Amino acid sequence: MVLSKDNPSSAEEFMDSQTHSKLPISSILIIIAMQTEALPLVEKFQLSEDKKSVFPKEVPWVRYHGIYRNLQINLIWPGKDSALGVDSVGTISASLVTYASIQALHPDLIINAGTAGGFKAKGANIGDVFLVSECAFHDRRIPIPVFDLYGVGLKPALKTPNLHKELDLKVGKLSTGDSLDMSAQDEASIVANDATVKDMEGAAVAYVADIFKVPAIFVKAVTDIVDGEKPTAEEFLQNLATVSAALDQAVTQVIDFISGKCIHEL
Ligand code: ADE
């Protein structure tokens, strides 16, 4: 950011963000793509579903909200696709809900939680929960200088050294694409991204969070081993419920740690 007297609004925004990071976090936005992942957390935090949506009436997005340990929690699930009735997974819904939720709810911090494929060659096992250090895309290949980097869309997660120390979670890089399976080209990009886990939302949430300078963290639990023997879809469905329980336990630990702290203390 350029700070100068010719650019007072950036200077004000900069000062604002500095002051803000010194106040205790009061509002958290949790974005979760699948109902199976979201509902145990809704129970755990005793959140209520919105009676009157803050979102346009046409969208299937569901907001659950409440107070937990002095934190205003908004959990957004993009809901079921209105034509097909399945969870609205993937980067399009993820970026739309992130944008609309930031506009409507002005969170201090975003947590994108969900399941992911893991690479055993990089140390991932079924049921591991990862705190993500950075996110990038693996299916936006634009082989033109600089557009190539735009396609990869690398964004660091908020640095949370104290959270890492406190919780027993693995740390790894996340690669995002709009497919559950992995083509040979995706694989080459995932290797180039040095990713340990692969999902369908993280880098999209990171892109929008970065635009609005909302700090974001990513908690991803491994349902399937991408470089293993079992077919991905089968292994994913087999492990979804149990791994969602591990995910929800980790998200609860993360939120318990956050309670009463400022961004710079995480
Ligand atoms: N979510 C869970 N497993 C996944 C995989 N293998 N790829 C993308 N997203 C996932």
Side-chain angles (χ1 to χ4, degrees), residues 34 37 114-119 138 175-182 197-201 221-226 232-233 236 240:
M34 298 194 74
E37 300 158 348
T115 53
F119 291 84
H138 56 253
S175 198
T176 298
D178 270 305
S179 300
L180 185 73
D181 67 3
M182 182 175 71
V197 279
K198 162 184 182 287
D199 82 340
M200 298 177 67
E201 289 86 20
V222 175
T223 44
D224 50 276
I225 296 301
V226 186
T232 297
F236 166 70
L240 179 60

Side-chain angles (χ1 to χ4, degrees), residues 6-235:
D6 303 330
N7 193 359
S9 69
S10 322
E12 272 165 31
E13 275 169 28
F14 180 75
M15 294 305 288
D16 255 16
S17 68
Q18 293 300 293
T19 317
H20 216 56
S21 81
K22 295 202 173 83
L23 295 174
I25 295 160
S26 70
S27 169
I28 296 184
L29 168 64
I30 306 175
I31 296 178
I32 302 193
M34 298 194 74
Q35 190 172 37
T36 309
E37 300 158 348
L39 288 186
L41 278 179
V42 170
E43 285 268 299
K44 166 79 199 179
F45 300 139
Q46 300 196 315
L47 306 178
S48 337
E49 188 174 337
D50 236 358
K51 292 278 173 298
K52 193 177 169 306
S53 182
V54 295
F55 302 127
K57 65 180 185 328
E58 291 83 358
V59 299
W61 314 337
V62 183
R63 178 175 82 111
Y64 298 98
H65 60 99
I67 306 282
Y68 174 80
R69 293 195 164 209
N70 269 344
L71 292 163
Q72 172 70 51
I73 309 265
N74 282 288
L75 188 156
I76 312 296
W77 164 52
K80 302 273 185 194
D81 179 86
S82 52
L84 299 171
V86 294
D87 288 318
S88 305
V89 299
T91 62
I92 295 178
S93 289
S95 48
L96 286 168
V97 297
T98 305
Y99 172 80
S101 301
I102 292 173
Q103 297 304 307
L105 306 166
H106 307 287
D108 298 323
L109 176 72
I110 296 174
I111 300 175
N112 172 222
T115 53
F119 291 84
K120 68 171 192 276
K122 303 279 291 176
N125 299 303
I126 301 287
D128 282 349
V129 183
F130 280 84
L131 259 181
V132 168
S133 53
E134 60 184 46
C135 311
F137 291 97
H138 56 253
D139 60 357
R140 307 198 318 172
R141 292 174 294 275
I142 316 172
I144 300 171
V146 192
F147 280 104
D148 52 359
L149 297 176
Y150 168 77
V152 170
L154 176 66
K155 302 283 181 230
L158 175 70
K159 288 202 172 32
T160 54
N162 298 321
L163 183 64
H164 287 153
K165 259 179 249 156
E166 181 77 12
L167 302 188
D168 189 25
L169 303 178
K170 292 186 173 179
V171 178
K173 295 178 188 172
L174 171 68
S175 198
T176 298
D178 270 305
S179 300
L180 185 73
D181 67 3
M182 182 175 71
S183 68
Q185 282 175 314
D186 287 349
E187 186 175 8
S189 303
I190 291 169
V191 169
N193 288 343
D194 189 30
T196 304
V197 279
K198 162 184 182 287
D199 82 340
M200 298 177 67
E201 289 86 20
V205 173
Y207 172 76
V208 182
D210 181 58
I211 291 175
F212 294 101
K213 300 293 170 246
V214 183
I217 63 178
F218 303 82
V219 184
K220 299 284 161 175
V222 175
T223 44
D224 50 276
I225 296 301
V226 186
D227 52 348
E229 309 307 317
K230 296 195 181 153
T232 297
E234 202 177 291
E235 197 175 24

